[in-house]
Amino acid sequence: MADEIRYEHKTVQTVRGTASLVISRMQKDGWELVERSEGALRSTLTFRRPKKQPPWLLIGAPAAVLAILAVVIGVGSALSGEDQGKGGTDKSTAPAGDVPLSTPARTSPKPTSVGVITPKNDPEFAALLKADRCDDANANYATGHGGRTIAFDGSIVHMAPHGKYKTRYDLLLAPGDEGPKTTAGPSFKFEDVNMADLKLADDRVPATVGAGDKFHFVAEVGEFNATQCLFFLDPVSTSPRQ
């Protein structure tokens, strides 16, 4: 039906307790929450919003042009047939091998979706690593890339026990090699993890881990807490760097 509303859908994963922030931001962009699923650590939110319909005038104008061209071509063909019937000659000077002007231009195929996001294959992520830790770019990236896997070279800014636990920790991470002296980029956080959760890789696994240590982090994008300016990640693998 012509009046049927068509929707586009989007699914976002958030850290438990911060779903309301994401819902508010999405609603400001015109999205409607249609489903909410609560997991042990994450909430899965499904949104929809009406697709934008192209203006009919923009569709009608090219159609009118094509109709006029069809009439002109039809008249031209009729006249050409009459000339040939009278013994006229074809005055076309275009070589037989030329490509007709009506041949559509070839377009390059769209690039396939990226698997693991890095600063080299995603300019938006590269810019994020240089942005202020409280910049809106953090929330926008978390909302648009929730659940995706990112990889970057970084260091530990701070490490502290999680609550009263002695073997579980909260790690504050930053891009680059400056550790506690880092002044730019998001404040990434691994929350409530033990050493096994870090999935330390490589033959050079350190005996201890602490502030200032440098790693190549591969992690899953979580939620951004705008109040604390913390960008939560879930570790996928952690490789020591010199």
Side-chain angles (χ1 to χ4, degrees):
M1 296 177 60
D3 296 333
E4 182 181 356
I5 300 177
R6 297 181 179 274
Y7 292 94
E8 57 180 326
H9 294 78
K10 188 170 188 177
T11 299
V12 178
Q13 289 187 329
T14 71
V15 175
R16 287 289 300 273
T18 59
S20 58
L21 175 64
V22 176
I23 294 173
S24 177
R25 287 181 177 275
M26 296 293 285
Q27 289 177 339
K28 289 181 180 179
D29 291 335
W31 293 94
E32 174 191 0
L33 180 66
V34 294
E35 184 177 353
R36 178 171 180 171
S37 176
E38 302 290 350
L41 297 175
R42 292 182 175 280
S43 299
T44 301
L45 309 175
T46 302
F47 299 87
R48 73 175 185 180
R49 68 180 177 186
K51 289 185 177 180
K52 295 181 179 179
Q53 298 296 329
W56 289 109
L57 289 178
L58 295 179
I59 297 177
V65 172
L66 290 175
I68 294 173
L69 287 176
V71 172
V72 173
I73 293 173
V75 172
S77 298
L79 292 176
S80 175
E82 290 180 2
D83 289 341
Q84 291 182 3
K86 296 178 182 179
T89 58
D90 184 4
K91 296 182 181 180
S92 175
T93 58
D98 283 0
V99 178
L101 294 178
S102 60
T103 301
R106 295 183 178 179
T107 58
S108 300
K110 295 182 179 180
T112 57
S113 59
V114 177
V116 177
I117 298 173
T118 70
K120 292 184 178 180
N121 63 27
D122 185 359
E124 185 181 0
F125 182 50
L128 175 71
L129 295 181
K130 299 178 182 179
D132 182 82
R133 68 189 188 91
C134 293
D135 195 278
D136 287 342
N138 294 273
N140 294 337
Y141 200 87
T143 300
H145 297 78
R148 296 291 301 276
T149 301
I150 59 174
F152 64 97
D153 288 341
S155 53
I156 297 178
V157 175
H158 183 70
M159 180 174 178
H162 180 74
K164 297 181 180 180
Y165 293 100
K166 295 182 179 181
T167 58
R168 302 194 68 82
Y169 306 91
D170 293 335
L171 276 70
L172 192 63
L173 319 173
D177 302 336
E178 299 302 317
K181 298 180 180 179
T182 301
T183 58
S187 291
F188 293 122
K189 186 176 183 180
F190 287 164
E191 185 175 56
D192 190 15
V193 296
N194 58 26
M195 292 301 101
D197 294 329
L198 293 180
K199 299 178 177 63
L200 288 162
D202 205 334
D203 296 332
R204 297 175 287 105
V205 175
T208 59
V209 173
D213 290 347
K214 295 180 290 186
F215 295 91
H216 179 72
F217 296 106
V218 180
E220 183 179 298
V221 174
E223 181 58 53
F224 176 70
N225 187 315
T227 303
Q228 298 176 312
C229 294
L230 289 177
F231 199 132
F232 289 87
L233 303 177
D234 290 331
V236 174
S237 69
T238 308
S239 303
R241 297 188 300 116
Q242 294 295 331

